[in-house]
Amino acid sequence: MNIEIKHLRTLKMLQQTGSLVGAAQRLHLTQSALSHQLKGLEALCGSALFLRKSRPLAFTPAGKRLLALADLVLPAVQAAGRDLARLSGGQSGRLFLVIECHSCFEWLLPAMDVYREAWPEVEMDLTLGFSFEPIPALLRGDVDLVVSSDPVPIPGVVYEPLFAFQVMLALAKDHPLLEKPLIVPSDLQDQTLITYPVERERLDVFKNFLDPAGINPIGHRTCELTAMMLQLVASRRGVCVLPNWALAEYLARDYVAARPLGPEPMWGTLYAAIREDERHLSYMKEFLETAREVSFKNLKGIRVVKDSGFD
Amino acid sequence: MNIEIKHLRTLKMLQQTGSLVGAAQRLHLTQSALSHQLKGLEALCGSALFLRKSRPLAFTPAGKRLLALADLVLPAVQAAGRDLARLSGGQSGRLFLVIECHSCFEWLLPAMDVYREAWPEVEMDLTLGFSFEPIPALLRGDVDLVVSSDPVPIPGVVYEPLFAFQVMLALAKDHPLLEKPLIVPSDLQDQTLITYPVERERLDVFKNFLDPAGINPIGHRTCELTAMMLQLVASRRGVCVLPNWALAEYLARDYVAARPLGPEPMWGTLYAAIREDERHLSYMKEFLETAREVSFKNLKGIRVVKDSGFD
DNA sequence: AATAATCATCAATTGAATTCATAAAATTAC
DNA sequence: GTAATTTTATGAATTCAATTGATGATTATT
């Protein structure tokens, strides 16, 4: 055997995640596979590459040497990959994006910036999906990608998973519900719920949390902007359900508090809905990859999603 | 699948050899394997990488892009490999070499130069094996590597193949034997044969060519230096048997002529005899690899040897 | 035109990488 | 300090991909 790029990817991911399990997840492999792979690599190199008995993992000099190699090689490989994708046609295209929740700006804008560097010829646009039905627009060809956490199976549309996040209830810092470690549906009975202004059927809180339990909050008001929502929450005008990552910066600033939704912790998945026939376009694949990568870099508390959504 | 270093090696070798078969040989793979591998790689890249219908192979822009990547990546990988080998012990050692034929200088000195760059801590020496028995000296530990084309199975000694060469008979430019396309044993009956000054039993000409046919040349004289040998040959004082690569520069200068030994073309193999227990030392493995690489680069008409010699 | 060489392709095989199940070790919580 | 949880290691079975061997097509060479 010989050193391969795969090994460098593993090492690098090991560095980024600080654990075998973490790296395995992000690489879509089992922990066992990585353990075997690293054992083999260490045999090949003739020495240990990292110390297991320390958290986060510490690399030996040999490990560091390989990481240095990875830092040189991996970007070069990626750049070559992009050049190849361009050379083989499909270099220019259109990527009109739609988001349905404002907090997506947080990861989407940086992702678009990174992407634009590598694919300058792709025409990009970003619109909010509040005023129209995004999926029909996608099928019509008005737009090319819809960010959604609600994958309704529709012929001609595939849902590519981006990442998974935990669903949290944002609460004022002195809110009585903070007593509870976990929020169950009945806790919202006597609360005012603040949501984005989309139809009730497309709001996960109702569809997956309240409705199954037959609970209806006493109040409901809508708000377009996440920042505005949280201002309302902070001033005790209501509570709202948001993904953990959208909340992260507000929690860090101690602006509001939050509790996970239960009974068992509730995970949502964000998908990119695209037309099936565009699934294999190189500029499309690259965008999805970039989006995932940038998200994992910028957001705390999100997870890899194993397999693709509904086809 | 993804691009791997293996692919880059293949591409690079393809460039160096100019053909699939050639690259396959040097990589110790079948032509079929390379064909499949390249087909897969092209599918991955989305476009052809080289044009088959031209000799030597011509690379497409995509192929050239990957070659550029290879030129960046492969040296970096090799350097990292050396650093790792050093880190995992065995960084310094001793490498006393013995050669039994002067012409080996041609490839051995450049190989040593390349090697010394990467392994400055390894103590090197080179002696001629005319005045002593090299293999016993190897077993005693007086020397560490003997270059030999005569692999006698001896416990504790392994023969690592370096390359294969064609055995030629050097002849004066107007020699009558030039009429024949191939030299058979009986042709030497009435010739004076010039050899290196080693025991008759260790000379391939006798052992593998003349003795089996029961032929004895009319004359026999020895000579230490290849250049001197060829001077004698040129002045019609005799003929001598040499590997094609040792002859190459003299043939190019039109100083002497040559014919292959037959009936079927005779190939010899050059081995590095080393002690079995040192076979896996990293500085030893690296030396063998360097020697092969430099030889293939500098010598014309040599071949890869599939498998290792006697253990 | 005939011969030799190179390359592509198929089916069969080999071999390596991955998974699954489980044990061992280490970390965290109590 | 013990229990519980998480992380890593390992062995055997499986899966998947790469390699081979045989053969046919194509392209150079004579």
Side-chain angles (χ1 to χ4, degrees):
Chain A
M1 198 188 48
N2 247 323
I3 273 202
E4 287 299 345
I5 288 172
K6 173 185 22 173
H7 297 130
L8 299 181
R9 290 219 169 85
T10 302
L11 267 277
K12 201 75 193 111
M13 203 50 95
L14 210 55
Q15 183 185 40
Q16 280 174 24
T17 63
S19 88
L20 275 190
V21 267
Q25 282 198 150
R26 297 272 319 259
L27 292 167
H28 299 290
L29 289 173
T30 59
Q31 173 270 325
S32 179
L34 277 207
S35 182
H36 283 295
Q37 180 183 120
L38 287 163
K39 190 181 168 187
L41 188 59
E42 290 186 325
L44 189 71
C45 297
S47 63
L49 296 172
F50 61 99
L51 298 130
R52 282 87 162 140
K53 21 201 78 177
S54 72
R55 209 149 316 281
L57 257 49
F59 288 87
T60 65
K64 283 181 185 149
R65 180 64 186 80
L66 277 187
L67 281 173
L69 178 65
D71 285 330
L72 172 76
V73 167
L74 295 182
V77 170
Q78 200 172 354
R82 281 198 292 262
D83 288 348
L84 286 178
R86 289 219 205 77
L87 281 170
S88 69
Q91 59 276 43
S92 70
R94 198 192 66 169
L95 215 44
F96 286 1
L97 314 178
V98 183
I99 55 179
E100 297 185 275
C101 92
H102 267 91
S103 28
C104 289
F105 275 121
E106 175 140 354
W107 56 267
L108 192 52
L109 289 181
M112 286 173 75
D113 284 341
V114 171
Y115 179 76
R116 214 190 307 268
E117 290 264 328
W119 297 81
E121 298 97 345
V122 173
E123 190 191 355
M124 300 193 76
D125 191 21
L126 174 59
T127 54
L128 283 164
F130 291 148
S131 54
F132 60 97
E133 292 277 355
I135 298 295
L138 177 68
L139 282 168
R140 252 180 284 130
D142 293 348
V143 300
D144 309 299
L145 188 154
V146 179
V147 175
S148 158
S149 60
D150 176 34
V152 191
I154 288 177
V157 174
V158 294
Y159 292 86
E160 295 284 348
L162 295 170
F163 54 80
F165 55 88
Q166 196 169 2
V167 185
M168 309 285 282
L169 185 71
L171 298 160
K173 282 169 58 183
D174 57 358
H175 199 285
L177 278 179
L178 283 176
E179 302 264 317
K180 312 195 59 177
L182 221 72
I183 306 295
V184 293
S186 59
D187 292 335
L188 299 189
Q189 182 86 62
D190 52 353
Q191 302 291 322
T192 294
L193 186 63
I194 310 169
T195 69
Y196 290 118
V198 298
E199 317 97 81
R200 199 190 137 108
E201 302 82 54
R202 291 180 41 219
L203 287 166
D204 281 351
V205 219
F206 288 110
K207 216 181 59 173
N208 300 327
F209 188 68
L210 295 173
D211 291 349
I215 301 288
N216 228 348
I218 200 169
H220 180 203
R221 64 169 290 185
T222 64
C223 183
E224 271 206 358
L225 296 167
T226 312
M228 187 64 216
M229 268 187 182
L230 289 167
Q231 198 175 311
L232 292 170
V233 169
S235 54
R236 291 186 287 276
R237 308 286 197 74
V239 298
C240 75
V241 169
L242 282 174
N244 53 353
W245 49 268
L247 232 36
E249 60 161 311
Y250 296 93
L251 293 173
R253 283 199 276 112
D254 217 18
Y255 187 70
V256 294
R259 286 288 176 271
L261 292 189
E264 60 259 33
M266 202 175 148
W267 286 82
T269 301
L270 217 54
Y271 296 91
I274 60 179
R275 284 185 295 279
E276 188 168 17
D277 54 300
E278 294 204 330
R279 199 215 298 239
H280 299 293
L281 291 178
S282 44
Y283 66 85
M284 181 66 84
K285 286 194 293 190
E286 268 281 318
F287 180 80
L288 296 174
E289 209 170 300
T290 306
R292 291 190 189 103
E293 203 153 304
V294 173
S295 303
F296 282 114
K297 202 158 287 171
N298 293 340
L299 306 178
K300 294 283 161 215
I302 64 175
R303 295 267 169 90
V304 176
V305 183
K306 295 264 147 136
D307 222 320
S308 114
F310 305 76
D311 287 340
Chain B
M1 198 187 50
N2 245 324
I3 270 204
E4 287 298 345
I5 289 173
K6 173 182 25 174
H7 297 130
L8 299 181
R9 290 217 170 86
T10 302
L11 269 269
K12 201 73 191 112
M13 202 50 94
L14 210 55
Q15 183 185 40
Q16 279 173 27
T17 63
S19 89
L20 274 191
V21 269
Q25 282 200 150
R26 297 272 321 257
L27 294 167
H28 300 288
L29 288 173
T30 59
Q31 172 271 325
S32 180
L34 278 207
S35 182
H36 281 294
Q37 181 183 119
L38 287 163
K39 190 180 169 187
L41 188 59
E42 289 186 325
L44 189 71
C45 298
S47 64
L49 296 173
F50 62 100
L51 299 126
R52 282 87 160 134
K53 23 201 80 178
S54 73
R55 208 148 318 277
L57 257 50
F59 289 87
T60 65
K64 285 184 185 147
R65 181 63 187 81
L66 277 187
L67 281 173
L69 178 66
D71 285 329
L72 173 76
V73 166
L74 294 182
V77 169
Q78 198 172 353
R82 280 198 292 262
D83 288 348
L84 286 178
R86 290 217 203 77
L87 282 171
S88 68
Q91 60 275 45
S92 69
R94 199 193 65 171
L95 214 44
F96 286 2
L97 314 179
V98 183
I99 54 176
E100 298 185 275
C101 93
H102 267 91
S103 28
C104 289
F105 276 119
E106 175 141 354
W107 56 268
L108 192 52
L109 289 180
M112 287 173 74
D113 285 341
V114 171
Y115 180 75
R116 214 190 307 268
E117 291 265 327
W119 297 80
E121 298 99 344
V122 173
E123 190 192 353
M124 300 194 77
D125 190 21
L126 174 59
T127 54
L128 282 166
F130 290 149
S131 54
F132 61 96
E133 291 277 353
I135 297 296
L138 177 68
L139 283 168
R140 252 180 284 131
D142 293 348
V143 301
D144 309 298
L145 189 155
V146 178
V147 175
S148 160
S149 60
D150 176 33
V152 191
I154 287 178
V157 174
V158 294
Y159 292 86
E160 295 284 349
L162 295 171
F163 53 80
F165 55 87
Q166 195 169 3
V167 184
M168 309 285 283
L169 185 70
L171 298 162
K173 284 170 57 185
D174 57 357
H175 199 288
L177 279 177
L178 283 175
E179 301 265 316
K180 311 194 63 177
L182 222 70
I183 305 296
V184 293
S186 59
D187 292 333
L188 298 189
Q189 181 86 61
D190 53 353
Q191 301 291 322
T192 294
L193 186 63
I194 311 169
T195 69
Y196 290 117
V198 297
E199 317 96 83
R200 201 190 137 108
E201 302 82 55
R202 290 177 45 215
L203 287 166
D204 281 352
V205 218
F206 289 111
K207 218 183 59 174
N208 300 327
F209 188 66
L210 295 173
D211 292 349
I215 301 288
N216 225 348
I218 198 168
H220 179 204
R221 65 169 291 183
T222 64
C223 181
E224 271 205 357
L225 295 167
T226 312
M228 186 64 216
M229 270 186 181
L230 289 166
Q231 199 177 310
L232 293 171
V233 169
S235 54
R236 290 185 288 277
R237 309 286 198 76
V239 298
C240 76
V241 169
L242 283 173
N244 55 353
W245 48 269
L247 233 35
E249 60 161 311
Y250 297 92
L251 293 173
R253 283 198 277 113
D254 216 18
Y255 187 69
V256 295
R259 285 290 176 272
L261 293 189
E264 59 259 32
M266 202 176 147
W267 286 82
T269 302
L270 217 53
Y271 296 92
I274 59 178
R275 284 186 295 280
E276 189 168 14
D277 55 301
E278 293 205 329
R279 198 215 298 240
H280 299 294
L281 290 178
S282 43
Y283 67 83
M284 180 66 83
K285 286 194 294 190
E286 268 282 317
F287 180 79
L288 296 175
E289 208 170 301
T290 306
R292 292 192 187 101
E293 203 154 306
V294 173
S295 303
F296 281 115
K297 201 160 286 170
N298 293 339
L299 307 178
K300 293 284 160 215
I302 65 175
R303 296 266 168 92
V304 177
V305 182
K306 293 264 146 127
D307 221 319
S308 117
F310 305 77
D311 286 340

